[in-house]
Amino acid sequence: MPLLITRRRAAAAVLTTALLVPLAACGSDDSGTAKDKGSGSGSTSSGAPKADLTVLAASSLTDVFKEAGAAYETENPGTKVTFSFAGSQELAAQVKQGAPADALVTADTKTMDGLSGDTGKPTVIAKNRLVIATGEGNPENVENLNDLSDPKLKVVLAAPEVPVGRYSEQILDAQKIEVKPVSQEPNVRAVLSKVELGEADAGLVYRTDAATATDKVDAIEIPDAQNAIASYPAATLKTSKHGEAAAAFVAWLSTPAAQKILQGAGFQQP
């Protein structure tokens, strides 16, 4: 009789285990699915959720963000960062129109502030200053802002609704210098291109943009007292389908690794 009881107890234990295994597996699947839905497809080795991110970024960040994006992808295997570069005012219009994207970086706080209902809390990740870009060798001997008022000089500026255009207008007005540009461009890279191609004798661009074309343009420094400081805020977009991953990327832009890349390209610390 004791032997029979022992055998019955053993059989019951086996049956209980068999019933619990499927339940445990079911619970594991449910929690895994929920996690995947929240983060896209798991997490990277650094803990950031994996995702394919789209970042809208100011034109002046074109070169440095390509490097920064590659570095971020290396640190976070399984994550891909795609950038869409344009003038900040164009990016703002895209956000308002509901363009599918995850984060935004503008070249001024005014544009970002105008999108407060569409973004998370912004963080300034870098700063910049303006220079006068001239053709290689400075053939027209431009020395300072005053020289830009020479009617014989073909000067190109960004349009006033563009951050760099607004900064340009600000510093020229402060010095009471009247400039009649031959054209007003939609972003800073278009201004730089005009000077590079010889279609303009001079233009006001960010210091970092002139640094990307040292073989084609010269950069004339503008004294700090006459200059303007451009701030670059970054924020997540509320319409992002990868909120956690977008927030991780925006936070990374303030880390020593990202700051080293930005400052290596000539941007100033926030």
Side-chain angles (χ1 to χ4, degrees), residues 19-35:
L19 290 170
L20 288 175
V21 169
L23 291 174
C26 236
S28 176
D29 285 346
D30 286 345
S31 82
T33 301
K35 183 177 180 181

Short mmCIF file of all heavy atoms in Angstrom, two decimals, residues 19-35:
data_model
loop_
_atom_site.label_atom_id
_atom_site.label_comp_id
_atom_site.label_asym_id
_atom_site.label_seq_id
_atom_site.Cartn_x
_atom_site.Cartn_y
_atom_site.Cartn_z
N LEU A 19 1.26 20.47 -16.70
CA LEU A 19 0.26 21.51 -16.88
C LEU A 19 0.85 22.91 -16.71
O LEU A 19 0.43 23.86 -17.37
CB LEU A 19 -0.88 21.33 -15.84
CG LEU A 19 -1.79 20.12 -16.05
CD1 LEU A 19 -2.69 19.92 -14.84
CD2 LEU A 19 -2.62 20.29 -17.32
N LEU A 20 1.85 23.05 -15.85
CA LEU A 20 2.44 24.35 -15.57
C LEU A 20 3.35 24.86 -16.68
O LEU A 20 3.45 26.05 -16.92
CB LEU A 20 3.24 24.31 -14.25
CG LEU A 20 2.40 24.23 -12.97
CD1 LEU A 20 3.31 24.07 -11.76
CD2 LEU A 20 1.53 25.47 -12.81
N VAL A 21 4.04 23.94 -17.36
CA VAL A 21 5.00 24.32 -18.41
C VAL A 21 4.34 25.16 -19.50
O VAL A 21 4.81 26.22 -19.86
CB VAL A 21 5.71 23.09 -18.99
CG1 VAL A 21 6.48 23.47 -20.25
CG2 VAL A 21 6.66 22.51 -17.94
N PRO A 22 3.19 24.71 -20.08
CA PRO A 22 2.54 25.53 -21.12
C PRO A 22 2.13 26.90 -20.59
O PRO A 22 2.20 27.88 -21.29
CB PRO A 22 1.31 24.70 -21.52
CG PRO A 22 1.63 23.31 -21.11
CD PRO A 22 2.47 23.42 -19.90
N LEU A 23 1.65 26.95 -19.32
CA LEU A 23 1.23 28.23 -18.77
C LEU A 23 2.39 29.19 -18.65
O LEU A 23 2.29 30.38 -18.94
CB LEU A 23 0.58 28.01 -17.39
CG LEU A 23 -0.78 27.30 -17.39
CD1 LEU A 23 -1.23 27.02 -15.96
CD2 LEU A 23 -1.81 28.16 -18.11
N ALA A 24 3.53 28.66 -18.19
CA ALA A 24 4.72 29.49 -18.04
C ALA A 24 5.17 30.00 -19.39
O ALA A 24 5.54 31.16 -19.55
CB ALA A 24 5.84 28.68 -17.36
N ALA A 25 5.13 29.09 -20.40
CA ALA A 25 5.53 29.50 -21.75
C ALA A 25 4.61 30.58 -22.28
O ALA A 25 5.03 31.53 -22.92
CB ALA A 25 5.51 28.27 -22.68
N CYS A 26 3.30 30.42 -21.98
CA CYS A 26 2.31 31.40 -22.44
C CYS A 26 2.59 32.77 -21.83
O CYS A 26 2.59 33.79 -22.50
CB CYS A 26 0.93 30.95 -21.98
SG CYS A 26 -0.22 30.80 -23.32
N GLY A 27 2.87 32.79 -20.51
CA GLY A 27 3.15 34.05 -19.85
C GLY A 27 4.40 34.70 -20.40
O GLY A 27 4.47 35.90 -20.58
N SER A 28 5.42 33.89 -20.71
CA SER A 28 6.66 34.44 -21.27
C SER A 28 6.42 35.08 -22.61
O SER A 28 6.92 36.15 -22.90
CB SER A 28 7.68 33.29 -21.39
OG SER A 28 8.84 33.75 -22.00
N ASP A 29 5.62 34.44 -23.45
CA ASP A 29 5.32 34.98 -24.78
C ASP A 29 4.59 36.31 -24.67
O ASP A 29 4.87 37.24 -25.41
CB ASP A 29 4.46 33.99 -25.58
CG ASP A 29 5.30 32.81 -26.07
OD1 ASP A 29 6.54 32.91 -26.02
OD2 ASP A 29 4.69 31.82 -26.47
N ASP A 30 3.63 36.38 -23.72
CA ASP A 30 2.84 37.59 -23.58
C ASP A 30 3.71 38.77 -23.20
O ASP A 30 3.61 39.85 -23.75
CB ASP A 30 1.73 37.40 -22.53
CG ASP A 30 0.60 36.52 -23.05
OD1 ASP A 30 0.55 36.33 -24.29
OD2 ASP A 30 -0.19 36.04 -22.25
N SER A 31 4.61 38.56 -22.21
CA SER A 31 5.42 39.67 -21.77
C SER A 31 6.43 40.05 -22.82
O SER A 31 6.74 41.21 -23.00
CB SER A 31 6.13 39.31 -20.46
OG SER A 31 7.28 38.56 -20.69
N GLY A 32 6.94 39.07 -23.56
CA GLY A 32 7.89 39.37 -24.63
C GLY A 32 7.24 40.18 -25.73
O GLY A 32 7.81 41.12 -26.25
N THR A 33 6.01 39.83 -26.07
CA THR A 33 5.30 40.56 -27.11
C THR A 33 5.06 42.00 -26.70
O THR A 33 5.25 42.93 -27.46
CB THR A 33 3.95 39.88 -27.40
OG1 THR A 33 4.19 38.54 -27.82
CG2 THR A 33 3.19 40.62 -28.49
N ALA A 34 4.67 42.20 -25.45
CA ALA A 34 4.42 43.55 -24.96
C ALA A 34 5.69 44.38 -25.03
O ALA A 34 5.68 45.53 -25.41
CB ALA A 34 3.90 43.50 -23.52
N LYS A 35 6.81 43.77 -24.65
CA LYS A 35 8.08 44.49 -24.68
C LYS A 35 8.45 44.87 -26.11
O LYS A 35 8.88 45.97 -26.39
CB LYS A 35 9.18 43.62 -24.06
CG LYS A 35 10.53 44.33 -23.99
CD LYS A 35 11.56 43.45 -23.31
CE LYS A 35 12.90 44.15 -23.22
NZ LYS A 35 13.92 43.32 -22.59
#
